Amino acid sequence: MPKEVNRRDFIKLAAVAASVVTVGQVLPLQPKQAMAASSAPNPAVTLPVGAVSDTSDVLLRMQQELIQALKKPVEQRHWRMVLDLNKCVGCSACTIACVSENKLPPGVVYRPVLDEEIGTYPNVTRRFTPRPCFQCDHPPCVPVCPVNATWKQADGVVVVDYNLCIGCRYCLVACPYHARTSDFGANYCQNTAEAAGIIVGQQKADDYEKMPNFEYGKKWPRKKYTSPIGNARKCHFCLHRVANGMLPACVTTCIGRATYFGDTNDPDSLVSELVSRPDAIRLKEELGTEPSVYYLV
Ligand code: SF4
Ligand code: SF4
């Protein structure tokens, strides 16, 4: 079952995640412009001084490869994610990093970590399965949209235009992986009593929840009757970070180094290496959805 993120945990963990995950300077763009921004070659993005030649940590290697990929035209790269189930410790740091990065409200979780007990007592163990959107190459969520608010980009990421989405939720039903959720406009701190002294106090927590997110490279203030409230929402591989040379928030926050991201059109990339391993699988292959997310089992 996906772990619930209750209000108290959210405030505590969001404060931690916010300290390790930075969005960087993202220019406010319209969604379709944002797609173009994430698609265009971006030779201006470089690694921090001193980091370029150090690929001993997989994060540095992946970031270096990401920057190389951004120099290519969009149709020449394909973003994919690999999740090593042998390394995932079920800490849910990725879930909270994503909540913090994208300012996700209650009920909207892009990357739950499924927690299962397997085996028969006393020979039991637990299996943790992070479950982002799989950015399917044949996404059933796309053709059902009556207003063409969702589509697959040339770089492999399935996106949602919040300005077009009417919130009908057809795509939620069509997704066989339950990767989409609706934003009903809730806030973690609404209707709660004053709780000054708990971490930051209610007022500060309210302020935190009203902060805009930067999905698709646009500033989305959290205001009543304003997108993305009312829209379908899903993981987008943190395109706004990727376009600026940063790995998705879940990747940088994964304490088990269980999450990998990169361009499989680069045969020398780490993710290309991983997806070709014999223990790399995709979920529900029989559906023909061709997920861009692989699991190492
Ligand atoms: S996992 Fe679901 S929401 Fe994501 S692309 Fe595939 S069908 Fe669409
Ligand atoms: S909820 Fe939005 S994205 Fe999903 S099918 Fe309806 S209009 Fe399209």
Side-chain angles (χ1 to χ4, degrees), residues 141 144-150 160 164-172 180 231-232:
C141 58
V144 298
C145 179
V147 293
N148 298 322
T150 187
V160 179
L164 294 177
C165 175
I166 56 173
C168 68
R169 287 178 257 160
Y170 286 5
C171 56
L172 272 72
R180 291 185 176 227
N231 297 145

Side-chain angles (χ1 to χ4, degrees), residues 228-240:
I229 291 174
N231 297 145
R233 300 185 66 178
K234 62 179 274 299
C235 160
H236 36 63
F237 278 176
C238 277
L239 276 176
H240 56 291

Side-chain angles (χ1 to χ4, degrees), residues 254-273:
C254 178
I255 65 165
R257 293 287 191 272
T259 304
Y260 304 92
F261 177 81
D263 171 27
T264 48
N265 281 358
D266 172 1
D268 297 323
S269 70
L270 179 59
V271 285
S272 290
E273 201 179 293

